[in-house]
Every structure is written in C-alpha cells, then in structure tokens.
Amino acid sequence: MGLKIYINGQLLPQEDAKISVFDHGLLYGDGVFEGIRAYHGKVFAMDQHMDRLYDSATALALKIPITKAEMANAIKETMAANNLTESYIRVVVTRGVGKLGLDPNKCATPQIIIITDTIELYSKALYERGLDIVTVSTIRNHFSALDPKIKSLNYLNNILAKIESLQAGAGEALMLNKDGYVAECAGDNIFIIRDHVLFTPPESAGILVGITRNVVMKLALEMGIEVKEQLMTKYDLYIAEECFLTGTAAEIIPVVKIDGRILGTGKPGKITLELLKKYRDLTKVGF
Ligand code: PMP
C-alpha cells in the first residue's frame, strides 16, 4: 500500500500526489523545506523545526498560508493517516504555481507538501565502525549570496559537494567556507573533541543551524563537557581526538577518517558514543 501525502490540506494517495510543472519550487528551487523525525509517535523538536521553517520562508519573503500550529497539526494528521510512529517527515513549501520568469509575485499561493516516510542515511554498521569523510573543492555558499541558514529548495551547493564525496568513495563531504574555515558537511553539521572540549563551527562560518547540533551542545554541557563554537581549519580536524556529524536523519554519526587520515584510535570516540546514547535516550522521551 502506498503512502498518503499531504498537499494543501488534502491527503492524497502517493500516485495522485502531484504538483504543477509551473511551480516555482520546481522551476527555480524557490521554496523551503524541513526534515523532521518522529520517534514513538511523537515529533522530535517540533517547535524548533517550525521556527526554522518559518524563518527560512520569511528570509525568502515567502508567506506560508497556515500558522505554525496548523502546520504541526497537518504533520501529525499525515503521520496518523499513514499509521506511522517512527518516521522521517519532509515538509516542503514552494512558492507555488506561477509564470515562466522569476517574478515570485506572479505565483498564486505557496504549496504545502508533507511526506511521512522512513529514512536510513547510514547503515547500523557505520555507527559502529565510523564514517570516513573528505574535504571537497566545492566551497559552502557565502552567506551574502545565499545564506546557508535558509533551508531552501536550492540545495545544489550541497549536491555538488555530495557528488565529489561519492566520487572519492567517502561517506560525507566536508565543505569549507570561502575563507578556508570548516563550515559543515553536505547534509550534516560537524563537531570535534580535543582535551575534553567539544568544538563546532560558529553560525558565522556559514552553516545551517542544525537542530541536532543545538541538542548535542546542550547534552554535552549537561555531561560537564565544555562547548566552544569556534572557527576551525582542516588542521584542527586532523589533530582531533574524536569527530562526529549531526543531523536529524543521521542523529550522531562517528567519523574516524578525514581526507585519508585516521583520527585518534581509528574507532568511534568514547564521548561521541556517550553523546549518541544520550541523544537516543532523549528521542525516547521527546524534546
Ligand atoms: N547542514 C545541512 C546542510 C543540512 O542539510 C542539515 C540537515 N540535513 C544539517 C546541517 C543538520 O540539521 P538538523 O540537525 O536540523 O537536521
């Protein structure tokens, strides 16, 4: 049985869930999205995801036609229609159907799409073995061109990076910003640990401000680990004792190799695994 997909207030069978070829989401990548997880029937960090979705839309002068509370209800409704308790939820808001030509004012109304499905970014074995990542030549979008804080449908910067890492046979692509500082991976934020201190690039490095990133920083503080948002170069990563990536789909995935260099013991780090355990505990009770 196929999935039921939410489009503009209607729940449609997957095969009937279609949008116009004149939608500017398709023609220009003009729109925003969120990737959300539900655990045990409860949406994780719903408020944070709603805030980021609406902020991303506001940054694009895109007015989402329903409230955050209505959007949250629509997500729950879609999950219920699909009988899902464990789910990866994709919310997409496009500029809507318009004319050929950029003008967003010629688009009638934004389209709201909600897909509730499942996702497995990395195999279970990779969480035990650890990921290897490579620095790619594609630099992260400069914030004055297209701010990485906006979770927009224009993900080509990330896709170009992903293509490079796939060609290198690596698990993720590490992107630097135009000044050569570490920004983030194609679809995940990055952290390192050294001398019992957790480091991650600051927002000003040009990153998507990950919701998992924020949760992990909070968990680390609760564990008595100092957290520093600090600019880093590749050097800092190469000499790290532990490294991991964070994301809604990935949760916390250990990194054991960067650009062919083996980190620390070559195995997922102790603090990384502790954080992963605490994160998974939190998903059981909700956040
Ligand atoms: N950076 C990028 C570029 C992303 O696309 C994502 C989400 N996949 C993340 C970081 C992690 O963000 P979150 O923890 O909110 O999923």
Side-chain angles (χ1 to χ4, degrees), residues 65-128:
I66 60 174
T67 65
K68 288 181 192 177
E70 286 166 341
M71 184 70 85
N73 276 334
I75 291 169
K76 289 177 198 157
E77 228 180 87
T78 313
M79 271 179 59
N82 288 291
N83 278 320
L84 287 167
T85 53
E86 312 305 306
S87 176
Y88 178 81
I89 303 151
R90 174 59 52 90
V91 180
V92 181
V93 183
T94 72
R95 184 73 68 180
V97 177
K99 302 269 179 229
L100 294 179
L102 295 183
D103 191 350
N105 294 332
K106 291 195 175 137
C107 299
T109 18
Q111 311 274 324
I112 301 170
I113 301 161
I114 302 170
I115 306 166
T116 54
D117 202 348
T118 52
I119 196 167
E120 193 194 64
L121 273 197
Y122 304 115
S123 67
K124 195 169 173 283
L126 264 183
Y127 287 84
E128 283 152 22

Side-chain angles (χ1 to χ4, degrees), residues 49 52 140 151 155 158 184-189 208 210-213 246-248:
H49 282 286
R52 189 171 66 185
R140 190 73 177 106
K151 200 163 169 63
Y155 246 51
N158 313 60
E184 61 180 332
C185 288
D188 299 300
N189 292 114
L208 180 78
I211 286 157
T212 320
R213 172 184 181 273
T246 64
T248 295

Side-chain angles (χ1 to χ4, degrees), residues 16 18-19 26 29 79 93 101 103 121 142 154-157 190 211-212 229 243 245 259-262 268 285-286:
D16 299 330
K18 293 176 180 153
I19 61 155
L26 174 70
M79 271 179 59
V93 183
D103 191 350
L121 273 197
H142 190 262
N154 220 301
Y155 246 51
L156 273 183
N157 183 222
I190 188 160
I211 286 157
T212 320
E229 291 176 78
C243 177
L245 311 182
D259 296 338
R261 290 162 162 79
I262 292 169
V285 293

Side-chain angles (χ1 to χ4, degrees), residues 3-259:
L3 290 170
K4 289 239 173 22
I5 314 285
Y6 175 105
I7 301 187
N8 302 325
Q10 276 189 298
L11 283 162
L12 300 167
Q14 191 172 325
E15 53 280 10
D16 299 330
K18 293 176 180 153
I19 61 155
S20 165
V21 293
F22 287 97
D23 193 304
H24 279 208
L26 174 70
L27 290 176
Y28 299 115
D30 186 356
V32 293
F33 77 101
E34 269 304 316
I36 310 173
R37 281 282 278 272
Y39 298 93
H40 313 291
K42 199 167 178 305
V43 178
F44 189 75
M46 176 76 99
D47 294 347
Q48 288 81 350
H49 282 286
M50 290 301 101
D51 288 347
R52 189 171 66 185
L53 179 69
Y54 281 70
D55 285 348
S56 290
T58 302
L60 299 185
L62 183 122
K63 173 101 185 65
I64 300 179
I66 60 174
T67 65
K68 288 181 192 177
E70 286 166 341
M71 184 70 85
N73 276 334
I75 291 169
K76 289 177 198 157
E77 228 180 87
T78 313
M79 271 179 59
N82 288 291
N83 278 320
L84 287 167
T85 53
E86 312 305 306
S87 176
Y88 178 81
I89 303 151
R90 174 59 52 90
V91 180
V92 181
V93 183
T94 72
R95 184 73 68 180
V97 177
K99 302 269 179 229
L100 294 179
L102 295 183
D103 191 350
N105 294 332
K106 291 195 175 137
C107 299
T109 18
Q111 311 274 324
I112 301 170
I113 301 161
I114 302 170
I115 306 166
T116 54
D117 202 348
T118 52
I119 196 167
E120 193 194 64
L121 273 197
Y122 304 115
S123 67
K124 195 169 173 283
L126 264 183
Y127 287 84
E128 283 152 22
R129 199 167 68 225
L131 199 63
D132 75 300
I133 65 174
V134 285
T135 312
V136 296
S137 69
T138 304
I139 61 164
R140 190 73 177 106
N141 278 336
H142 190 262
F143 52 78
S144 61
L146 176 57
D147 201 319
K149 276 184 184 159
I150 304 170
K151 200 163 169 63
S152 83
L153 292 182
N154 220 301
Y155 246 51
L156 273 183
N157 183 222
N158 313 60
I159 288 165
L160 289 172
K162 189 75 194 170
I163 288 168
E164 285 191 67
S165 66
L166 286 170
Q167 281 168 350
E172 244 288 26
L174 173 68
M175 302 175 84
L176 308 179
N177 66 20
K178 76 136 181 55
D179 296 319
Y181 290 111
V182 172
E184 61 180 332
C185 288
D188 299 300
N189 292 114
I190 188 160
F191 286 82
I192 60 161
I193 293 158
R194 196 170 151 89
D195 295 331
H196 213 71
V197 179
L198 185 64
F199 295 91
T200 197
E203 291 182 20
S204 61
I207 58 168
L208 180 78
V209 185
I211 286 157
T212 320
R213 172 184 181 273
N214 293 344
V215 172
V216 163
M217 291 198 290
K218 201 167 151 285
L219 287 176
L221 287 173
E222 284 168 16
M223 283 162 64
I225 296 167
E226 193 184 341
V227 179
K228 285 190 182 168
E229 291 176 78
Q230 194 169 293
L231 285 175
M232 291 186 273
T233 62
K234 282 195 290 183
Y235 165 84
D236 298 299
L237 303 194
Y238 294 162
I239 64 164
E241 288 153 9
E242 298 185 27
C243 177
F244 61 85
L245 311 182
T246 64
T248 295
E251 299 179 323
I252 297 172
I253 176 112
V255 172
V256 291
K257 213 192 240 188
I258 305 179
D259 296 338

